[in-house]
Amino acid sequence: MSPSSRLTRILVILYALAFGAKLEAQIASPFVSGAWSGNVTPTSATVTIRLSTSGVAVRLVLSTNSTLAPAKFFGAVTTTANKGDTVSIDAFGLDPNTDYFYGFEVAGVLRTELFSRGRFHTFPAGAASFKLAFGGDSDFNHADWRGFDALTAERPMFFIHLGDLHYRDTNTTNPADYRANYDAVLSQPNQSAFFRSVGMAYIWDDHDSMGNDSNGTFTGVATARAVYAERVPHYPIASNAGGAIAQSFTIGRVRVIMTDLRSASEPGTLPESPSKTRLGAAQKAWFKQELLSARDAGFPLICWVSSDPWIDPPLLGNDTWAGWQTERTEIANFLRDNRIKNLVILSGDMHALAYDDGTHSDYATGGGAPLVVLHAAALSSDGSVKGGPYTAGPLPGSIQYGILDITDNGGPTILCRFTGKRASEGAKLTFAFTASAAAIDTIIPTTTSNGTTDRALINISSRGRIANPGDTQIVGFVVGGRSPRNILLRAVGPSLAAFGLLTDIVTRPTMTLFQQSGAVVASNDDWGVADAGRLTTVFDRAGAFRFLSTSSHDAALYLSLAPGAYTMQAFDSMGGTGNILLEVYEVP
């Protein structure tokens, strides 16, 4: 045999051995599809995976090291056919705000398959800053999966899936059909890789529950609910929500409420009436109580995960909230009447990026319930537009998602920054806002001279840009009534960095307050020089965000002002240009 023939034979043998080993490993793998984690708290989490055989003992292996050494073990759980051979294993006694890596031990052997290895991050305990990602509408048959790759690169602390995890439109009473849908999603390489990189919460919409425009009359309701509970690493499903997969949880000082708009809903084609419901009577009562509890607990921000668009003109049969306009008004009136001012809606279904600052989202009778609405989709599906109008957007498209950055330094107000992103193109929309637990208490009833009741000022704010040295930004306001009111005035420059504005800001704002006559009332150019402690307390009482430090060179005044007209003027005392935020608060 020639040397070349001998070499060829050796290579063939080596290839056969390698291919055979790979094939054997594939055949020997006990897993049907990939793992994912959820039900995350500061000290616990749940990891779920499906196996191919019943009667197998499985343990969860957890470590703060990616090598899984040293390890903690949780379980063991034995696979059973009645649960589709799925195991959901709880890990507990964990450290807050910590990265954990996981794997599975099956029949005493630590498995190395990629689909069985992942990580999650436990939540912080109390006030903390973090990055939350959210998005929806992910068809695993779509050609472009870069949205999930971009999300993996973002490294958010947590991810919320807004619905339409797939587009199978399954409506049967056979659990195997629904299990196969989850297997298909968790076998898609890009999506599975992202789901294994982060803890997540998932609420379904129509295509991934029981089919297009699905509701509680569909055949598959009970089966879909049962397989969701079996297959998804979910938070505890509310026992008093009428069977809907309603859930709530806390991240730092943000309360998240996820409602099921499908399995308890009446058809949108029914005539409008006070009894027509999308949430179902039981889930709606649960939702209202969750809102009240979050308000009373003093959460600065409440996020409502509503899988379908809130903003849309009333239209019978429409599958947005427009098709349940009476119930939408009921919810808006409830928010207004119970002074819940810090609710933000996270929404999908519309395959686009958009946000509303409250301009178009108020459906309370006579007004009074403007809501911030944030849309982020589609992760991997074609673009579409639903509802509106919005303050910005919609920008229809695929490979899109949302980032919500929370800056929380422990005061009553937190800073929020929404960024709508498209993979490979970066930020397409940006919106910064504040949320405060104090917002529920800053609407102060006052009595007029004729004995009627009106509402006091909460806040006026105006952000602009000083384009030329020496230019001035101006805000005018009027103090009504007959009695003096406590007013906080602020000119914010350096502390805009908390909203992501690191450049092009006024570095040394000087603020002066004038009476209508032109007389100077007071002036300030450095809030922290002599009055930082008192002013910080006032910021908290008013629900205003705290400045970055006592040496930030922002300007602030706290005054008792008699009724009358006033003008606040601000400029850069260093002769610079840039963005500046002028604010007026009434302080309770």
Side-chain angles (χ1 to χ4, degrees), residues 8 58 72 102 180 208 261 271-272 305 476 502 543 552 581:
T8 300
V58 183
K72 293 182 178 181
Y102 65 79
D208 53 342
L261 303 187
E272 281 295 323
V305 180
L502 303 178
S552 66
L581 176 67

Side-chain angles (χ1 to χ4, degrees), residues 105-396:
E105 181 190 85
V106 180
V109 177
L110 178 60
R111 304 300 306 191
T112 60
E113 289 90 344
L114 188 63
F115 275 178
S116 69
R117 295 294 183 97
R119 68 192 294 176
F120 59 83
H121 191 92
T122 51
F123 291 163
S129 301
F130 56 88
K131 178 195 289 187
L132 176 70
F134 61 100
D137 306 283
S138 48
D139 184 354
F140 56 76
N141 291 315
H142 198 267
D144 197 339
W145 284 86
R146 288 176 295 158
F148 282 100
D149 298 337
L151 276 168
T152 302
E154 290 274 3
R155 289 293 295 133
M157 191 185 73
F158 195 68
F159 175 68
I160 296 177
H161 198 294
L162 304 172
D164 287 342
L165 185 70
H166 57 78
Y167 286 76
R168 284 285 182 90
D169 290 327
T170 301
N171 184 31
T172 74
T173 57
N174 183 3
D177 295 336
Y178 293 92
R179 291 167 182 157
N181 294 340
Y182 288 111
D183 291 336
V185 169
L186 295 168
S187 296
Q188 204 290 326
N190 310 68
Q191 188 165 359
S192 179
F194 173 61
F195 287 175
R196 287 183 286 105
S197 75
V198 65
M200 63 178 289
Y202 153 62
I203 194 75
W204 62 26
D205 196 38
D206 56 345
H207 296 290
D208 53 342
S209 56
M210 296 154 288
N212 190 43
D213 295 352
S214 60
N215 55 66
T217 68
F218 275 47
T219 304
V221 168
T223 308
R225 286 173 170 175
V227 177
Y228 177 98
E230 160 196 299
R231 195 70 178 89
V232 177
H234 56 81
Y235 285 93
I237 296 173
S239 60
N240 57 342
I245 56 170
Q247 301 159 59
S248 58
F249 56 96
T250 300
I251 311 175
R253 296 197 304 154
V254 177
R255 187 64 173 169
V256 181
I257 305 171
M258 302 200 306
T259 51
D260 173 3
L261 303 187
R262 296 297 171 181
S263 71
S265 175
E266 293 180 331
T269 53
L270 291 179
E272 281 295 323
S273 73
S275 62
K276 181 181 178 181
T277 179
R278 181 158 215 192
L279 294 172
Q283 184 182 202
K284 183 161 55 179
W286 169 85
F287 178 49
K288 289 179 178 179
Q289 185 56 55
E290 282 288 321
L291 291 169
L292 294 175
S293 297
R295 180 202 66 183
D296 295 343
F299 286 102
L301 179 65
I302 308 169
C303 290
W304 174 22
V305 180
S306 170
S307 59
D308 289 331
W310 175 257
I311 303 173
D312 204 3
L315 181 63
L316 184 65
N318 198 322
D319 198 47
T320 69
W321 274 100
W324 287 264
Q325 56 179 292
T326 305
E327 187 169 56
R328 178 173 62 180
T329 298
E330 177 190 347
I331 293 169
N333 288 345
F334 179 85
L335 296 171
R336 179 200 61 201
D337 296 344
N338 289 280
R339 298 177 297 154
I340 299 170
K341 302 288 185 179
N342 53 348
L343 180 69
V344 172
I345 297 179
L346 307 182
S347 186
D349 192 56
M350 177 178 72
H351 298 184
L353 300 171
Y355 73 81
D356 193 77
D357 61 7
T359 301
H360 309 98
S361 61
D362 188 349
Y363 290 99
T365 305
L371 303 174
V372 170
V373 179
L374 308 177
H375 280 275
L379 281 165
S380 55
S381 190
D382 296 331
S384 68
V385 173
K386 290 185 179 181
Y390 304 99
T391 303
L395 301 179

Side-chain angles (χ1 to χ4, degrees), residues 382-580:
D382 296 331
S384 68
V385 173
K386 290 185 179 181
Y390 304 99
T391 303
L395 301 179
S398 185
I399 58 173
Q400 299 185 151
Y401 57 91
I403 297 293
L404 185 59
D405 287 298
I406 301 295
T407 302
D408 184 357
N409 297 320
T413 301
I414 63 175
L415 311 181
C416 310
R417 183 178 177 86
F418 164 66
T419 307
K421 291 190 174 184
R422 182 178 297 159
S424 77
E425 296 183 30
K428 308 297 289 186
L429 291 176
T430 302
F431 174 48
F433 59 98
T434 61
S436 175
I440 64 171
D441 294 320
T442 52
I443 301 176
I444 310 298
T446 60
T447 302
T448 65
S449 59
N450 61 7
T452 60
T453 298
D454 63 7
R455 297 284 188 176
L457 168 74
I458 302 170
N459 168 240
I460 297 171
S461 63
S462 173
R463 193 182 109 187
R465 187 177 185 278
I466 293 178
N468 301 298
D471 284 355
T472 300
Q473 287 286 317
I474 302 173
V475 167
F477 62 95
V478 176
V479 176
R482 294 187 175 184
S483 302
R485 294 186 178 179
N486 297 323
I487 303 296
L488 170 66
L489 309 170
R490 309 202 310 175
V492 189
S495 288
L496 289 175
F499 293 89
L501 291 175
L502 303 178
T503 59
D504 194 30
I505 56 176
V506 170
T507 58
R508 194 69 179 257
T510 293
M511 172 181 63
T512 303
L513 180 66
F514 296 87
Q515 290 179 330
Q516 187 175 17
S517 64
V520 173
V521 179
S523 183
N524 181 260
D525 67 352
D526 199 340
W527 80 284
V529 170
D531 209 16
R534 184 177 74 106
L535 283 172
T536 298
T537 300
V538 171
F539 295 172
D540 293 348
R541 284 170 54 197
F545 63 90
R546 292 185 178 185
F547 290 156
L548 291 178
S549 71
T550 58
S551 59
S552 66
H553 301 307
D554 300 287
L557 290 166
Y558 177 49
L559 305 165
S560 177
L561 297 181
Y566 297 86
T567 301
M568 179 172 63
Q569 300 184 15
F571 65 97
D572 191 336
S573 61
M574 302 299 291
T577 62
N579 284 276
I580 187 169

